Amino acid sequence: MNVFIIENETIAVEQLERMLVKLIPNINIVNTSGSVRECIDWFSNPQNSADLVFMDVELSDGNCFDILDEVDINVPIIITTVYDTYAIKAFEVNSVDYILKPIKEENLKIAISKSLKNYRGTDIGNIINALAQGYFGNDNISRKRFLVRINSQIFPVLHSDISYVFSMNKSNVIVTKDGRHLVIEKSINEMESVLDKHDFFRISRSCIIARSCISDWFKVHGLKYRINMVPEPDFLIEVSMTRSEKFLKWIQS
């Protein structure tokens, strides 16, 4: 991924470069500049190109919107600044995201993931895996959010948004509280490892449920329990017999 950093402060450029190198494999910083004039000249040259542009607002000889008044930049733009008063203006120029300084790694990941919607580079798979690193993994069992990939776009899903997760026809799906069905690449085992054990319970080999979305539950077929969830699924949600005892302890805890 080719990245152009438009930033007036050397320290800020170096900090952003370090974060990007850490987050994105095979990143190529094609240019850095803090000058409106230099940036206009660079983008006016058809031989120059970038996949993503980071723009600070205040530059040495004007602001980043002066650049956009002069040249068309047809790639995602992420505005970075200490001034939140520029937010509306940033979205008027079709920037992908708006990050307030000091830039936090989590916010940077989310902003880059949004830009991938329009990115067509051959290394997109490596970038997605790198951005998702740390959202999944056994080193932190109770992550509060993680990344979901939909085609070439990835975005964060909060644990608090999940109603249940199920596996069917070789696909693993998250169902959110507002009824969205999100197909994920992670297995049920991996999902179980990152979801909070107090808030989520794996009722069978193919289903994990959220405590907050249980409307009621009752015993069926002797040792099994059937559960009604919100939103209502189009299949029966039942606790397997081997997990019934643990489920009863979990639901009553």
Side-chain angles (χ1 to χ4, degrees), residues 4 30-31 37-46 48-50:
F4 188 172
V30 294
N31 197 14
R37 186 69 262 165
E38 288 180 1
C39 292
I40 291 174
D41 291 342
W42 193 88
F43 283 107
S44 297
N45 186 340
N48 296 328
S49 65

Side-chain angles (χ1 to χ4, degrees), residues 12 29 37 66 85 89 108 112 123 137 155 185-187:
I29 308 297
R37 186 69 262 165
D66 296 329
T85 54
K89 181 67 174 176
L108 183 59
I112 297 171
D123 55 346
F155 56 90
E185 296 181 338
K186 297 299 178 181
S187 68

Side-chain angles (χ1 to χ4, degrees), residues 99-127:
I99 307 178
L100 286 176
K101 295 179 179 179
I103 297 173
K104 297 180 180 180
E105 184 174 306
E106 182 176 354
N107 294 336
L108 183 59
K109 284 186 178 184
I110 293 171
I112 297 171
S113 73
K114 291 180 182 180
S115 76
L116 294 181
K117 180 178 181 180
N118 298 313
Y119 179 63
R120 294 294 179 267
T122 57
D123 55 346
I124 187 169
N126 292 331
I127 294 173

Side-chain angles (χ1 to χ4, degrees), residues 7-149:
E7 167 63 62
N8 191 35
E9 299 180 4
T10 302
I11 294 178
V13 172
E14 294 174 349
Q15 290 174 338
L16 181 55
E17 283 184 331
R18 283 196 297 270
M19 295 177 73
L20 291 172
V21 168
K22 176 183 177 182
L23 292 177
I24 302 177
N26 302 320
I27 189 172
N28 180 29
I29 308 297
V30 294
N31 197 14
T32 64
S33 176
S35 163
V36 171
R37 186 69 262 165
E38 288 180 1
C39 292
I40 291 174
D41 291 342
W42 193 88
F43 283 107
S44 297
N45 186 340
Q47 294 182 342
N48 296 328
S49 65
D51 300 306
L52 178 63
V53 176
F54 286 88
M55 281 189 173
D56 187 17
V57 175
E58 300 293 340
L59 303 175
S60 61
D61 51 352
N63 66 53
C64 68
F65 302 109
D66 296 329
I67 301 171
L68 298 168
D69 286 339
E70 295 293 327
V71 293
D72 293 326
I73 301 178
N74 298 315
V75 298
I77 299 169
I78 297 175
I79 301 294
T80 63
T81 182
V82 296
Y83 305 107
D84 58 5
T85 54
Y86 288 107
I88 295 177
K89 181 67 174 176
F91 289 109
E92 286 178 350
V93 299
N94 198 32
S95 64
V96 170
D97 211 341
Y98 180 89
I99 307 178
L100 286 176
K101 295 179 179 179
I103 297 173
K104 297 180 180 180
E105 184 174 306
E106 182 176 354
N107 294 336
L108 183 59
K109 284 186 178 184
I110 293 171
I112 297 171
S113 73
K114 291 180 182 180
S115 76
L116 294 181
K117 180 178 181 180
N118 298 313
Y119 179 63
R120 294 294 179 267
T122 57
D123 55 346
I124 187 169
N126 292 331
I127 294 173
I128 287 173
N129 290 335
L131 290 174
Q133 185 67 34
Y135 284 86
F136 283 105
N138 294 326
D139 59 326
N140 191 337
I141 297 302
S142 57
R143 298 283 185 183
K144 295 305 180 183
R145 70 173 73 196
F146 55 88
L147 298 180
V148 170
R149 175 178 176 176

Side-chain angles (χ1 to χ4, degrees), residues 201 217 225 227 239 243-251:
F201 185 82
W217 56 278
Y225 293 96
I227 302 168
V239 184
R243 300 171 193 262
S244 293
E245 185 177 347
K246 289 183 179 180
F247 168 76
L248 191 60
K249 291 180 180 178
W250 174 77
I251 200 67

